Amino acid sequence: MKALRIFLVSSEVAPFAKTGGLADVSAALARYLSGAGHDVRLLMPKYGGVAKEASLRPHPRLRSIPLPFGKRELSFSVEVAVLPGSDQEVYFLDCPELYGSEDIYVSDEEDPLRFAFLSRAALVVCQHLGWSPDVLHCNDWHTALIPLYLKAGYAWDQLFQDNLGYQGVFPSQRLADLALDEHASMLYQEDLEEGHFSFLKTGLLYADLLTTVSETYAREIQEEELGMGLHELLRARADHLVGIVNGVDYSEWDPATDALLPEPYSAEDLSGKMGCKRALLERFELQASKEVPLFGIVSRLTAQKGFELLPDILPVLLQRESMQLVVLGSGEERYEKYFQWLRDAFPTKVAFYRGYNNELAHWIEAGSDAFLMPSRYEPCGLNQMYSLRYGTVPVVRRTGGLADTVQPYSRDADTGTGFVFDEFVPEALFQAMRACLAAFGEREAWRRMVLRGMAQDFSWERQGAHYVRLYESVTGR
Ligand code: ADP
Ligand code: GLC
């Protein structure tokens, strides 16, 4: 094998900055690739929250490099630290004027410049280090201008991974601020005529290869329903579009070794799982019982995740059935309010923690019997894969990565790992949850399903190799 030089640029890297799965994936993919012998560098902004992280102790690598943007005289430095649990270096792009806030995403006003800066700085960092990557791997709209900045001045290969729900569309008056005015002819002209432009579309146009995080999502985004206005462009580039299901970092997410859990457990000895359920429910002052199934939710509370299916069915289920629900999440106010209401309406059955809490996310994966993910669309989804490993049966909609990773339960055939519904309507989720509740009552069959789920292998050792092959194909190695 010839080692590749791979530059991963991401707005989120766990554990330094995370709002969702992007952070897990960029950290884990980097760990896998460097473990496989490649020269991997990872770049992310040094947000205010990262700067405060006492254990980080980064070393300076580059100092005060000027990078003017439009009329703004900006400059940056680069500091280096090591990704916990590996030798993998992470470069922090330091520019307090842009990234001083603790938040990863600030507002529509500031974000285009913050992420255009990250994208251009990525190229300038390579120049100053005298390091030319074979592959530039960009992630989501935040880094989607890299291929354009690159085409306009440099010449490396690049790969671009995306979630179409977030496109980074901004008014075209901002082009000069982003140093894109001289390259306006390379942007999508129809959009410019309508007065806006899109980071993501620009990335889709200019990357050599497009990847997304499941095979099903790669197909779905070529259709109108989930293409979010980009399906025609994606269809035109279908020969360069590949879906690879994300891996799971089992060094972080395995109940046998998870140091955050109240009790460890494994497929060989599941007894600790009940201890985790008890501890989780005690944390919310709820009663725990072996006989009462507990559903868990850990999620960004956004329209993507499908929670508008819940109001029509959860109150009915909670009244009729013996069941409990623990929810961890934050996001849009309408969903936060809804879960607060649900908790107040069913105080002995529902718990809701509004906010972000990594330890609690692990507790819910371990302590719940079933995990709810009724997503409207889902490029990959990690939580259903974590659930499988934690012996927590996923209830998911058949979309994107959920379709690729959860096998529908069949009582007759004694196969499957979870409950899968098709149509995005409350009735379909209702039926799936009813089927799940019924299956929970058949303890031996349920146990076999749990064990089948725990035996699934979505490790990066399997999934990461697909990326390496793709990198090799795009670089002609
Ligand atoms: P997405 O990236 O769309 O948010 P994924 O399922 O791919 O969905 O990844 C979500 C990741 O974010 C998981 O690691 C999950 O545990 C974590 N997460 C989401 N919301 C929270 C929260 N409120 N607190 C802690 N972790 C969260
Ligand atoms: C996105 C998607 C999610 C995916 C994650 C990591 O945030 O919403 O489905 O798992 O990225 O690729």
Side-chain angles (χ1 to χ4, degrees):
M1 178 199 82
K2 188 149 187 326
L4 293 163
R5 290 183 300 271
I6 302 159
F7 199 20
L8 281 163
V9 189
S10 179
S11 60
E12 300 185 26
V13 179
F16 306 118
K18 167 166 168 178
T19 69
L22 172 61
D24 299 29
V25 168
S26 38
L29 180 59
R31 266 197 209 109
Y32 164 77
L33 291 168
S34 57
H38 300 286
D39 176 5
V40 183
R41 324 250 171 132
L42 194 52
L43 178 74
M44 64 172 284
K46 189 178 174 197
Y47 305 108
V50 175
K52 278 196 195 148
E53 184 54 56
S55 61
L56 195 60
R57 296 209 197 91
H59 300 289
R61 178 65 57 95
L62 298 172
R63 277 186 218 274
S64 306
I65 313 282
L67 183 57
F69 253 76
K71 293 192 199 88
R72 301 266 297 260
E73 291 297 327
L74 295 165
S75 66
F76 68 84
S77 300
V78 171
E79 295 176 355
V80 185
V82 168
L83 199 61
S86 72
D87 304 329
Q88 175 59 49
E89 287 190 334
V90 182
Y91 293 169
F92 293 98
L93 184 66
D94 192 17
C95 177
E97 192 177 333
L98 294 181
Y99 308 121
S101 155
E102 293 217 357
D103 294 328
I104 299 174
Y105 310 111
V106 179
S107 72
D108 282 357
E109 281 291 291
E110 265 302 277
D111 280 350
L113 178 59
R114 296 168 76 235
F115 294 114
F117 190 84
L118 170 64
S119 301
R120 240 175 100 200
L123 304 174
V124 179
V125 166
C126 292
Q127 284 185 313
H128 279 262
L129 294 175
W131 185 72
S132 72
D134 300 309
V135 178
L136 243 160
H137 189 145
C138 322
N139 294 276
D140 283 355
W141 74 260
H142 324 106
T143 51
L145 291 184
I146 292 181
L148 173 63
Y149 288 132
L150 193 62
K151 290 260 147 74
Y154 311 75
W156 298 305
D157 295 312
Q158 62 230 264
L159 192 87
F160 180 57
Q161 174 161 296
D162 61 283
N163 170 350
L164 262 51
Y166 305 88
Q167 301 188 0
V169 177
F170 299 101
S172 42
Q173 296 94 292
R174 303 294 306 272
L175 286 177
D177 305 345
L178 307 183
L180 284 175
D181 42 346
E182 55 188 286
H183 308 303
S185 64
M186 294 174 80
L187 298 173
Y188 231 73
Q189 297 306 306
E190 282 167 31
D191 287 358
L192 291 184
E193 280 159 25
E194 287 167 17
H196 54 87
F197 77 102
S198 153
F199 274 54
L200 188 65
K201 207 185 260 185
T202 310
L204 298 181
L205 267 177
Y206 289 113
D208 293 323
L209 208 59
L210 307 171
T211 68
T212 189
V213 287
S214 68
E215 288 165 33
T216 296
Y217 192 63
R219 280 194 305 275
E220 286 171 339
I221 57 180
Q222 297 181 50
E223 303 298 326
E224 190 164 4
E225 189 189 344
L226 291 184
M228 316 250 182
L230 301 176
H231 56 286
E232 284 173 5
L233 171 57
L234 287 163
R235 230 181 272 165
R237 297 220 58 197
D239 290 349
H240 298 89
L241 172 61
V242 181
I244 299 175
V245 171
N246 282 328
V248 171
D249 186 345
Y250 289 122
S251 69
E252 297 274 332
W253 294 96
D254 185 332
T257 52
D258 186 338
L260 296 173
L261 293 189
E263 283 183 43
Y265 61 91
S266 63
E268 289 70 46
D269 178 7
L270 276 169
S271 55
K273 186 163 172 67
M274 186 59 209
C276 290
K277 180 172 178 179
R278 221 174 281 120
L280 172 64
L281 287 169
E282 263 169 26
R283 192 165 170 158
F284 290 102
E285 295 173 11
L286 295 184
Q287 292 225 317
S289 156
K290 244 194 176 123
E291 317 303 324
V292 180
L294 173 62
F295 287 84
I297 291 177
V298 178
S299 188
R300 295 182 294 115
L301 301 180
T302 67
Q304 173 188 341
K305 301 294 177 179
F307 297 123
E308 63 259 42
L309 297 182
L310 301 183
D312 279 351
I313 61 172
L314 271 189
V316 181
L317 281 171
L318 285 162
Q319 275 173 50
R320 278 200 212 151
E321 307 278 351
S322 164
M323 62 171 273
Q324 292 171 306
L325 172 70
V326 176
V327 181
L328 163 63
S330 64
E332 288 177 35
E333 202 184 344
R334 54 184 166 147
Y335 303 117
E336 294 184 350
K337 287 228 162 93
Y338 177 69
F339 286 119
Q340 270 153 5
W341 173 84
L342 199 68
R343 177 195 52 202
D344 294 343
F346 298 94
T348 60
K349 292 186 156 183
V350 177
F352 174 46
Y353 181 106
R354 185 173 70 89
Y356 181 88
N357 185 324
N358 185 44
E359 181 192 71
L360 186 54
H362 286 248
W363 281 39
I364 293 177
E365 285 294 359
S368 306
D369 297 295
F371 195 89
L372 271 186
M373 241 172 132
S375 306
R376 179 185 286 279
Y377 73 94
E378 195 64 73
C380 179
L382 296 171
N383 281 113
Q384 82 283 9
M385 294 193 273
Y386 300 159
S387 298
L388 288 168
R389 180 49 61 107
Y390 281 72
T392 300
V393 172
V395 179
V396 304
R397 193 164 96 80
R398 195 192 307 272
T399 184
L402 300 175
D404 294 353
T405 55
V406 181
Q407 297 151 16
Y409 173 62
S410 160
R411 183 173 182 268
D412 295 341
D414 202 15
T415 54
T417 54
F419 294 85
V420 182
F421 66 99
D422 280 287
E423 249 192 297
F424 191 72
V425 292
E427 176 61 20
L429 174 58
F430 186 74
Q431 294 305 345
M433 288 184 71
R434 286 277 301 271
C436 178
L437 288 164
F440 184 77
E442 300 183 319
R443 302 313 299 247
E444 266 317 301
W446 179 270
R447 190 184 154 83
R448 288 195 297 276
M449 168 161 45
V450 162
L451 293 177
R452 283 193 294 273
M454 294 179 88
Q456 301 282 307
D457 180 5
F458 296 105
S459 61
W460 277 105
E461 278 65 41
R462 290 174 80 110
Q463 302 308 95
H466 295 297
Y467 278 102
V468 174
R469 276 199 289 281
L470 215 58
Y471 294 153
E472 285 168 348
S473 75
V474 80
T475 56
R477 291 272 174 83

